[in-house]
Amino acid sequence: MANMSLKKNPMPSQDPNVRNKNFDEVALGYTEEMAIDEAKRCLNCKNPKCVNGCPVNVHIPEFISKVAEGKFDEAYGVITSTNSLPAICGRVCPQENQCEGQCIRGIKGESVGIGRLERFVADYHNAHGHQGGAPAVPERNGHKVAVVGSGPAGLTCAGDLARKGYDVTVFEALHQVGGVLVYGIPEFRLPKAIVAKEVARLEHFGVKIMTDTVVGRTITVDELMDDMGFEAVFIGSGAGLPMFMNIPGVNYKGVLSANEFLTRINLMKAYLPDSDTPLIHPKKVAVVGGGNVAMDAARCAKRLGAEVYIVYRRGMEELPARREEVEHAEEEGIIFKTLCNPVEVLADENDDVKGIRCIRMELGEPDASGRRRPIEVPGSEFDVDVDCVIMALGTSPNPLIKSTTEGLEINKKGGIVVNEDGLTSREHVYAGGDAVTGAATVILAMGAGKTAARAIDEALSKK
Amino acid sequence: MYRIVRKEALRPTVTLYEIEAPLVAKKAQPGQFIILRVDENGERIPITINDFDPEKGTVTIIVQTVGATTEKLSHLNEGDCLQDFVGPLGKATETEGKKKVCVVGGGVGCAIAYPVLKKFHDCGAEVHAVIGFKNKDLVILEDQFRAASSVLKVCTDDGSYGQKGLVTDALKELIEAGNQYDEVFAIGPMVMMKFVSKTTEPYGIPTTVSMSPIMIDGTGMCGGCRLSVGGEMKFACVDGPDFDGHKVDWDLAVKRNQMYQEFEKHKYEETCNLFKKEAQ
Ligand SMILES: Cc1cc2nc3c(=O)[nH]c(=O)nc-3n(C[C@H](O)[C@H](O)[C@H](O)COP(=O)(O)OP(=O)(O)OC[C@H]3O[C@@H](n4cnc5c(N)ncnc54)[C@H](O)[C@@H]3O)c2cc1C
Ligand SMILES: Cc1cc2nc3c(=O)[nH]c(=O)nc-3n(C[C@H](O)[C@H](O)[C@H](O)COP(=O)(O)OP(=O)(O)OC[C@H]3O[C@@H](n4cnc5c(N)ncnc54)[C@H](O)[C@@H]3O)c2cc1C
Ligand code: SF4
Ligand code: SF4
Ligand code: FES
Ligand SMILES: [Mg+2]
């Protein structure tokens, strides 16, 4: 008998006033009882709309019915037949625009908590181990593939190929593996132990990892193929180049990109006393932007003890961040200054930031993206006292690989041009994830890694 | 892990390290730098490549102890390993097509200036050099500089060695003496590079400086190393570190480098105390 409750089982979470002072995970996860109860809300639709909403087509009703039966390990098998990083996706997918956005139960009431269930299944599996021991490592097939970048795109591509017996090496510029999952998304949203577990899984399948290797500098794509014998290269180098506003004062002391602020905190653990990496501890912070990156930066600043404003030029409705992140940010005491846009950063005689001058905005006609275009209200400038400004305005693909790889075609926005198989303009060179699309989502990056792995396998197995 | 194969104290606070890093050694060019981390809790700090040996697979760096991380580094010995060592980063210095240049080095900046000077020399340019130090005890690399330049002026602030005074005075003398330089190349503390640029500006001598803003990733990802050059935003780790000294917004660059001073002072004291305790 289906559970006809209109509401999802709420997610147990740390109290907002406690969690906004620590970096521990906010959402604590369902218990077995909650998971089974939530799973019973799924109608097991004949034509499941939810699956169409998932970029990697997780067999949602199948895995959920296993959960309803308490067969959590089998549910894990169903999910991982199409999604190799469920513990991560369950936590960070923008479900309201994807699987849950299409769920039939969402028409009247709340959708099934697909993301929460996916997370539960993955966490259950990680906590209880795999029944029947570690999965078998396939025999090597003798083909060598190089993967550039260890974000979700690179990790997925590497994992899929290794499972097919390829000899895969991942080259990562930073000292740690995981891309945005480790340097961008904070611990309180995605514990780094989860990423480490996924990486260990890849190593179990024989994937070699070379950190501290900047492709384009330490070694080029051509050298990987010509000198090191890699038969194919997958580029998953992300979109790490931060944008700044072109307004007076952007270089004052105390103006940071969200990438810098988050890297200091997440990658370098600068909030812990043992870390040698410096970090500012501002009193009042303006975070400019309205996406996931802005929410993460704001919530980190809050945890360092600051009073935090989100400055966003459109309205609350238009915030591009995951809905859950906006809700969590509001609960934690982040102040939203929507419909306003910075025009200048103000500083004292020492070039230390002392404020931000904003102008009010109103929404006009929809623009090319379909969102209503913000327009300045003349004469409405006002100043906000802050001692730190964090720019979270988006990022674009880093030009380093393009500029060191002859014949690699890129588009106007700096993204690598690929065909439907992820193949670039260079033979045997594939690409995917943010490096192709510009800043997007974890699940799309994974999907692209998967597509390329399939194409690489097809191309190399013919050899 | 990256093994230290040679460690040599050039001066009490200036140390040379030769590090095993074959891939970096194979690719390195004068003017480029590496980023290293001493240990698991370590910060990422940029250090210029002083020399490299592709055959042996090693890279040499020269580091001045100024704070917590460089202090920690100085306690490592031959045979010990660095946690991370990544590079070569940044663009190589352009030395082609210059007939006569003057290289100006300040303090440990001389370690950075040296490979550039050598490359100018190897490209067949006539090379003059001016190197400056606080006092006699801090003079480094004098012999190497002498071997690769036709005119060398050594200055100390207190006159304890060579000519008393600033490198800008010595540089001005060389210019006034009628030397026509295609380029002046300056590396050292920001303030020194600023005044070298101010010195050459009236003569219209193209001046290149090697900027050292605070960095983390060194790949263009954080934007922390940004500078204003000719009114445009540049990321020193990928667009530089070399820039036109006449176009750099010096005051901003100097101030931005002081962003974490309080933290750094505290961390340095903490680190020194730790080593003192260990020694007891
Ligand atoms: C703060 C933040 C929060 C986010 N929150 C969410 C969220 O909640 N949900 C969601 O779905 N998406 C979120 N995103 C977006 C998502 O993280 C990205 O779309 C996704 O990580 C892209 O994956 P990728 O593998 O293409 O690249 P990345 O994750 O960017 O990984 C690229 C890797 O390549 C490395 N690299 C780059 N250049 C080189 C080189 N030359 N040589 C070697 N290595 C190189 C980089 O160091 C990096 O490790 C967020 C992004 C940020 C920044
Ligand atoms: C491209 C480049 C090349 C460099 N080459 C050399 C070199 O060959 N030899 C050498 O001795 N030094 C070099 N430096 C400077 C060196 O990076 C700093 O001295 C070092 O980071 C200080 O670390 P600390 O913890 O010991 O001192 P701290 O007390 O933390 O810092 C002392 C001062 O060093 C600067 N600094 C601190 N952290 C950084 C950082 N992450 N990046 C850049 N600067 C920082 C700041 O101005 C700070 O006030 C270079 C810097 C750059 C950017
Ligand atoms: S991978 Fe993401 S979109 Fe797909 S079912 Fe899981 S949470 Fe939903
Ligand atoms: S649309 Fe909703 S109710 Fe239907 S199968 Fe998918 S999750 Fe279950
Ligand atoms: S050091 Fe991060 S962009 Fe240059
Ligand atoms: Mg330091």
Side-chain angles (χ1 to χ4, degrees):
Chain A
M1 189 45 221
N3 168 356
M4 293 314 291
S5 161
L6 291 183
K7 289 209 168 280
K8 281 184 207 174
N9 276 274
M11 181 60 121
S13 302
Q14 276 195 72
D15 180 80
N17 271 317
V18 174
R19 71 179 193 236
N20 66 12
K21 295 170 195 72
N22 70 46
F23 279 83
D24 300 336
E25 191 168 19
V26 167
L28 302 172
Y30 280 168
T31 60
E32 291 180 29
E33 293 72 34
M34 288 174 193
I36 291 172
D37 190 57
E38 183 62 26
K40 287 184 174 155
R41 292 187 61 230
C42 172
L43 303 177
N44 209 342
C45 304
K46 284 258 145 35
N47 174 17
K49 293 270 191 303
C50 53
V51 178
N52 302 336
C54 170
V56 294
N57 295 325
V58 167
H59 304 317
I60 295 167
E62 285 91 330
F63 102 73
I64 293 184
S65 51
K66 293 290 179 198
V67 176
E69 294 167 31
K71 295 178 179 161
F72 305 135
D73 245 327
E74 288 180 30
Y76 185 79
V78 174
I79 299 174
T80 49
S81 69
T82 62
N83 176 357
S84 47
L85 304 173
I88 296 169
C89 294
R91 287 173 166 83
V92 305
C93 267
Q95 286 95 5
E96 69 271 22
N97 302 327
Q98 298 180 349
C99 51
E100 294 181 21
Q102 305 283 322
C103 171
I104 204 93
R105 296 285 318 250
I107 297 170
K108 215 170 104 193
E110 289 182 351
S111 63
V112 175
I114 303 169
R116 291 171 184 183
L117 288 172
E118 187 167 314
R119 168 193 162 142
F120 167 80
V121 169
D123 288 359
Y124 182 91
H125 173 88
N126 284 342
H128 295 85
H130 195 83
Q131 280 179 5
V137 180
E139 213 170 297
R140 303 288 92 184
N141 66 12
H143 290 296
K144 279 177 76 179
V145 179
V147 169
V148 180
S150 64
L155 292 182
T156 305
C157 184
D160 281 13
L161 288 170
R163 267 180 273 261
K164 290 198 173 107
Y166 285 83
D167 181 356
V168 185
T169 308
V170 177
F171 296 89
E172 168 57 50
L174 295 171
H175 59 262
Q176 212 181 325
V177 180
V180 169
L181 306 179
V182 299
Y183 81 70
I185 303 180
E187 179 76 17
F188 58 80
R189 209 146 71 74
L190 179 64
K192 301 309 155 223
I194 290 173
V195 183
K197 202 146 200 162
E198 296 303 340
V199 174
R201 220 187 303 270
L202 291 194
E203 287 179 321
H204 168 79
F205 283 112
V207 173
K208 295 188 212 69
I209 293 174
M210 296 253 308
T211 50
D212 292 341
T213 311
V214 185
V215 173
R217 291 267 192 247
T218 317
I219 192 158
T220 63
V221 169
D222 287 289
E223 286 166 339
L224 286 174
M225 297 200 286
D226 300 343
D227 302 348
M228 292 184 76
F230 289 103
E231 297 158 79
V233 177
F234 174 76
I235 303 172
S237 52
L241 191 73
M243 292 183 225
F244 286 88
M245 287 184 103
N246 191 12
I247 56 173
V250 279
N251 290 334
Y252 284 137
K253 275 193 284 174
V255 185
L256 288 80
S257 75
N259 268 8
E260 176 178 356
F261 185 63
L262 291 170
T263 297
R264 286 181 185 280
I265 292 175
N266 300 315
L267 182 69
M268 307 310 298
K269 298 275 173 285
Y271 63 95
L272 298 174
D274 280 347
S275 173
D276 293 339
T277 300
L279 183 64
I280 46 170
H281 288 264
K283 291 191 187 64
K284 288 187 173 189
V285 180
V287 177
V288 184
N292 287 322
V293 185
M295 297 307 137
D296 284 343
R299 296 171 69 198
C300 282
K302 186 77 193 177
R303 282 161 172 74
L304 298 175
E307 182 171 323
V308 186
Y309 307 103
I310 292 264
V311 177
Y312 179 58
R313 61 199 182 124
R314 293 186 164 96
M316 286 304 281
E317 303 294 298
E318 285 81 16
L319 285 167
R322 290 179 78 218
R323 198 181 309 141
E324 189 181 19
E325 308 312 325
V326 176
E327 285 165 11
H328 281 165
E330 282 187 298
E331 288 166 14
E332 288 168 13
I334 310 284
I335 302 158
F336 284 77
K337 291 191 178 286
T338 50
L339 288 171
C340 73
N341 204 30
V343 291
E344 184 177 356
V345 180
L346 312 168
D348 62 17
E349 62 292 341
N350 201 22
D351 285 1
D352 283 310
V353 171
K354 65 167 192 190
I356 186 163
R357 180 159 298 158
C358 298
I359 188 162
R360 295 208 188 280
M361 311 291 279
E362 49 188 27
L363 292 180
E365 295 299 307
D367 62 13
S369 73
R371 294 185 303 175
R372 293 174 65 194
R373 202 163 58 85
I375 306 165
E376 291 184 354
V377 179
S380 66
E381 287 89 348
F382 63 100
D383 294 350
V384 187
D385 275 353
V386 291
D387 55 355
C388 174
V389 173
I390 296 172
M391 299 276 181
L393 303 159
T395 53
S396 57
N398 191 312
L400 184 59
I401 290 181
K402 184 252 150 191
S403 67
T404 52
T405 312
E406 207 147 324
L408 191 68
E409 203 184 313
I410 60 158
N411 64 26
K412 269 191 265 142
K413 290 187 168 164
I416 300 172
V417 176
V418 296
N419 71 7
E420 66 279 9
D421 286 338
L423 183 66
T424 68
S425 54
R426 280 282 308 265
E427 210 184 351
H428 304 310
V429 179
Y430 297 76
D434 284 5
V436 166
T437 56
T441 61
V442 170
I443 190 72
L444 286 172
M446 286 178 48
K450 226 174 212 345
T451 303
R454 203 180 306 125
I456 290 171
D457 179 41
E458 256 166 46
L460 295 189
S461 56
K462 276 196 217 120
K463 264 193 168 178
Chain B
M1 298 286 265
Y2 305 82
R3 203 159 57 92
I4 301 174
V5 296
R6 182 162 66 101
K7 178 184 177 188
E8 196 180 313
L10 302 183
R11 287 288 172 256
T13 58
V14 181
T15 314
L16 175 149
Y17 305 85
E18 188 176 342
I19 316 270
E20 221 168 51
L23 288 178
V24 185
K26 209 164 133 193
K27 270 299 171 61
Q29 284 177 274
Q32 290 187 296
F33 62 96
I34 56 91
I35 283 189
L36 65 79
R37 238 165 38 112
V38 175
D39 57 29
E40 264 301 320
N41 293 324
E43 67 177 324
R44 299 170 61 101
I45 66 161
I47 300 289
T48 304
I49 294 169
N50 167 258
D51 205 354
F52 46 90
D53 185 339
E55 241 98 274
K56 212 170 146 199
T58 60
V59 173
T60 308
I61 54 173
I62 296 181
V63 183
Q64 181 170 28
T65 306
V66 295
T69 299
T70 47
E71 175 73 29
K72 262 192 180 177
L73 179 61
S74 74
H75 288 261
L76 295 185
N77 294 311
E78 282 176 12
D80 290 346
C81 286
L82 297 178
Q83 185 75 31
D84 297 287
F85 193 88
V86 53
L89 301 171
K91 291 185 176 155
T93 298
E94 282 175 33
T95 49
E96 299 290 301
K98 286 168 191 137
K99 293 202 181 64
K100 184 167 176 177
V101 297
C102 185
V103 176
V104 185
V108 78
C110 294
I112 314 176
Y114 177 67
V116 172
L117 170 121
K118 208 168 110 214
K119 189 162 172 210
F120 275 125
H121 177 79
D122 295 346
C123 291
E126 180 183 351
V127 184
H128 293 183
V130 177
I131 53 179
F133 305 90
K134 274 215 183 73
N135 59 50
K136 186 172 179 222
D137 292 338
L138 294 173
V139 177
I140 52 168
L141 300 173
E142 187 185 352
D143 295 342
Q144 285 92 322
F145 269 88
R146 200 171 297 286
S149 55
S150 55
V151 172
L152 174 69
K153 289 197 175 219
V154 185
C155 315
T156 50
D157 293 358
D158 63 357
S160 54
Y161 189 76
Q163 165 175 351
K164 180 176 160 68
L166 302 170
V167 288
T168 43
D169 301 332
L171 174 63
K172 197 159 178 192
E173 284 165 27
L174 288 171
I175 297 170
E176 294 281 312
N179 286 297
Q180 303 250 341
Y181 297 120
D182 298 326
E183 179 173 280
V184 166
F185 193 96
I187 309 182
M190 289 243 203
V191 201
M192 178 212 105
M193 295 192 285
K194 168 180 167 178
F195 284 105
V196 168
S197 303
K198 295 263 180 272
T199 304
T200 56
E201 202 163 13
Y203 301 98
I205 306 171
T207 300
T208 302
V209 294
S210 179
M211 298 299 287
S212 50
I214 294 180
M215 297 186 178
I216 311 179
D217 57 301
T219 65
M221 182 270 278
C222 75
C225 65
R226 66 194 191 275
L227 300 164
S228 174
V229 182
E232 269 181 68
M233 188 185 288
K234 297 282 180 193
F235 290 2
C237 67
V238 284
D239 301 325
D242 294 354
F243 292 100
D244 179 345
H246 297 148
K247 290 194 176 155
V248 170
D249 182 337
W250 288 102
D251 294 339
L252 199 66
V254 169
K255 282 189 179 144
R256 279 185 63 83
N257 257 38
Q258 297 162 356
M259 187 146 157
Y260 295 106
Q261 239 166 17
E262 233 170 274
F263 173 95
E264 289 161 353
K265 226 171 82 194
H266 171 79
K267 203 75 196 179
Y268 194 16
E269 277 166 22
E270 193 183 282
T271 306
C272 289
N273 287 338
L274 213 72
F275 282 118
K276 259 186 226 146
K277 250 192 228 146
E278 265 176 31
Q280 273 168 15

